[in-house]
Amino acid sequence: MQRLRSFRHANFARAGIAGGLILGAALAHAHGDGSPRGGPLPASPADATPPPITVLTSHRGTARGLIFVAPKTAPGGATAPAPVQGPEIIDDLGRPVWFHAVTGGDQAADFRVQRYRGQPVLTWWQGQSHTGAGHGEGVDYIVDRSYRVIATVNAGNGLAADTHEFRLTPEGTALILVYHAVPYDLSAVGGSAAGSVFDGIVQEIDVASGAVLFEWHSLDHVGLDESHAPVPAAAATTYDYFHINAVSVDEDGNLLVDARNTWAFYKVHRRTGRIIWRLGGTKSDFALGPDAAFAWQHNPEAVDRETVRLFDNEAAPAVLPHSRVIWLRRDSRDHTATLIRWLQHPDGLSAGSQGDAQGLENGNTFVGWGQTGRFSEFDPSNNLLFDASVPAGYDTYRAFRHVWHAQPDGPPSVTAARNPDGTTTVHAVWNGATEVARWIVVGGHHAHDLHRLAAASWNGLDTAITLTTGASYVAVVAEDDGGHRIDQSAVVPIEPN
């Protein structure tokens, strides 16, 4: 089935976002010692309508779960004075399930489901960029299934957590990245002797205490001569020679560290920090087979002990005409790396920045096409099953599919207004409630004497229901697939037209 659908909420602002989350810059950067947080969170502003998602293609065979994106304004994109952006959960029709509006100039990235202390949680980075495009300084958040912030993670040693990665481990630690500008003599690579360079840093932090357990610096292990990025002509411009953008845990417990600007990723010993091997770039320890070379890449992930999957941007500037996802198999005896599978988007998308690829439980692959704002799902034969896009002027750094079951702490909210034709439109909103299958509207002429007036299937974060029967007061009841009551809103009067 082919769809071209953009799900919008014309009346979303009327109902607000009950149980929503807004963490402005002041709150976002006040926390960060790693200590648990709790309690209800403020509701999002009344005008925080989620960025509409357009579903372009939808076929049978997609994996279970919801879709996790974080629409943000792209450079030169949305021009509204305060564009709405933030983490957003949607279903396969593009309908929002949960939205968190970030404010104060913040953006969000790397939004997904992980596990913390054995439980599924939502995680994301939130902050701003003050030291250059393509990276940022902020705080990492962990939110439980009631949408309460249970922990925040800051970088240690006086540094700031970067936008690219917030990865939880089974040991209760978080792997994060940092960009740190340091003075550096660049004359050996044709730059200024009084220049500066971004040191790409990995930290492993104990979430509960905030203690830094491990710290790795690119400048200690990778020279500027490995970079494909041009050296800045102006001494005042910091050289982003490495552009660290991912860290993950390999099958043996050591780390895979990715550097966009060296066209390589590195296996790093998790205790000593030494580089065990390089794959790609100018000093690769593996000879790359036909079509196995990659450029400006993101998000290498171990598939098994010999295979790595990564998002191969091939731009920008362009090396190949299209971005792709590739699977590379290493042979440690022959020191070779062979391309065993690749896929690209049928539209020939080229992502000049950002991007990721996620292996799903049914063998499918979910791909975020970075700067293009597109995200897709492919089956094991590379057939496109799902394709969607954030609005024009936005992008999403990564995109994921996860199974997620959650219920906000607070009850649903409802508003109702009389229309000129005598009907009444009821808006039922419960931000983040994943188990609601239908809404039951109850009402009457007295607040304490209500009876069933209508029912409607859940249709996104703001479900609009039209009543043709008269009433002065209404409430909504959320039911699950089995017809069981989950919770009920307060009783509200119907507003006159």
Side-chain angles (χ1 to χ4, degrees):
M1 175 176 58
Q2 297 285 327
R3 288 195 184 91
L4 178 58
R5 176 170 182 171
S6 179
F7 191 87
R8 299 175 183 271
H9 323 272
N11 294 302
F12 185 81
R14 291 171 55 85
I17 307 181
L21 177 60
I22 174 172
L23 299 174
L27 176 59
H29 303 295
H31 293 169
D33 59 0
S35 59
R37 305 291 175 182
L41 292 157
S44 290
D47 59 351
T49 303
I53 303 300
T54 300
V55 175
L56 303 165
T57 300
S58 183
H59 295 295
R60 293 182 179 180
T62 57
R64 297 184 306 132
L66 299 166
I67 295 166
F68 294 73
V69 292
K72 58 184 177 65
T73 53
T79 58
V84 178
Q85 51 191 346
E88 185 174 358
I89 305 173
I90 63 168
D91 68 4
D92 278 16
L93 297 180
R95 300 177 298 186
V97 175
W98 180 77
F99 179 61
H100 158 162
V102 297
T103 60
D106 279 3
Q107 293 186 329
D110 200 21
F111 176 48
R112 54 176 146 171
V113 175
Q114 301 194 71
R115 298 189 74 85
Y116 178 59
R117 294 179 173 173
Q119 298 298 315
V121 292
L122 294 182
T123 63
W124 69 87
W125 172 91
Q126 183 174 324
Q128 301 179 19
S129 178
H130 298 288
T131 58
H135 52 90
E137 303 81 42
V139 178
D140 294 309
Y141 286 89
I142 304 176
V143 171
D144 68 12
R145 285 181 288 180
S146 297
Y147 302 98
R148 291 171 175 256
V149 175
I150 57 172
T152 56
V153 176
N154 257 351
N157 299 329
L159 302 171
D162 174 59
T163 180
H164 285 94
E165 191 80 73
F166 177 39
R167 187 177 296 265
L168 298 178
T169 75
E171 295 78 30
T173 65
L175 291 166
I176 68 169
L177 305 178
V178 174
Y179 280 65
H180 184 220
V182 296
Y184 208 90
D185 181 355
L186 302 177
S187 57
V189 289
S192 170
S196 61
V197 67
F198 282 115
D199 188 9
I201 301 173
V202 176
Q203 289 187 343
E204 184 167 10
I205 295 175
D206 179 71
V207 174
S209 67
V212 178
L213 306 179
F214 172 83
E215 186 169 298
W216 183 89
H217 293 254
S218 66
L219 286 173
D220 291 341
H221 303 275
V222 180
L224 273 59
D225 59 334
E226 294 189 38
S227 184
H228 288 270
V231 179
T237 302
T238 301
Y239 185 27
D240 188 6
Y241 91 104
F242 196 68
H243 198 89
I244 192 167
N245 64 22
V247 59
S248 60
V249 181
D250 200 1
E251 294 287 303
D252 62 1
N254 289 307
L255 303 179
L256 296 179
V257 176
D258 191 55
R260 179 187 190 274
N261 286 352
T262 66
W263 299 6
F265 59 93
Y266 305 80
K267 183 162 182 172
V268 172
H269 196 286
R270 198 168 177 179
R271 182 171 53 83
T272 67
R274 70 178 178 87
I275 293 178
I276 300 171
W277 49 250
R278 291 164 164 81
L279 202 161
T282 60
K283 297 182 179 181
S284 181
D285 292 305
F286 297 86
L288 301 182
D291 299 318
F294 49 90
W296 313 116
Q297 76 291 338
H298 287 74
N299 191 220
E301 297 264 2
V303 176
D304 55 41
R305 295 189 72 88
E306 291 83 31
T307 308
V308 174
R309 177 191 62 248
L310 61 89
F311 185 85
D312 180 15
N313 292 74
E314 293 293 338
V319 178
L320 294 180
H322 312 302
S323 298
R324 58 184 187 158
V325 179
I326 61 174
W327 285 256
L328 300 176
R329 180 161 292 159
R330 302 186 321 274
D331 187 320
S332 298
R333 291 175 300 177
D334 294 341
H335 296 283
T336 58
T338 303
L339 179 71
I340 61 171
R341 179 186 171 193
W342 64 277
L343 67 81
Q344 68 181 37
H345 197 283
D347 291 347
L349 299 179
S350 177
S353 67
Q354 310 167 81
D356 72 305
Q358 174 196 12
L360 301 175
E361 61 182 5
N362 66 346
N364 289 355
T365 303
F366 201 84
V367 183
W369 298 96
Q371 186 183 43
T372 71
R374 299 278 284 276
F375 45 98
S376 315
E377 185 170 339
F378 298 83
D379 70 13
S381 299
N382 294 352
N383 296 307
L384 179 65
L385 302 180
F386 178 85
D387 194 30
S389 178
V390 298
Y394 285 75
D395 61 30
T396 180
Y397 166 56
R398 287 174 172 171
F400 298 92
R401 184 187 288 278
H402 295 290
V403 173
W404 175 248
H405 301 285
Q407 180 174 321
D409 265 346
S413 67
V414 62
T415 61
R418 198 89 62 197
N419 300 315
D421 64 0
T423 62
T424 298
T425 301
V426 175
H427 291 275
V429 176
W430 205 9
N431 191 25
T434 60
E435 310 307 302
V436 180
R438 69 188 58 83
W439 291 104
I440 307 300
V441 181
V442 296
H445 291 290
H446 302 282
H448 300 292
D449 183 17
L450 306 179
H451 55 279
R452 180 174 175 142
L453 299 178
S457 297
W458 180 91
N459 193 31
L461 222 170
D462 177 7
T463 298
I465 307 159
T466 300
L467 304 180
T468 57
T469 55
S472 300
Y473 296 88
V474 293
V476 291
V477 179
E479 288 188 349
D480 64 17
D481 266 332
H484 302 109
R485 177 187 179 278
I486 304 174
D487 205 345
Q488 176 178 323
S489 73
V491 179
V492 300
I494 295 175
E495 301 173 8
N497 58 38

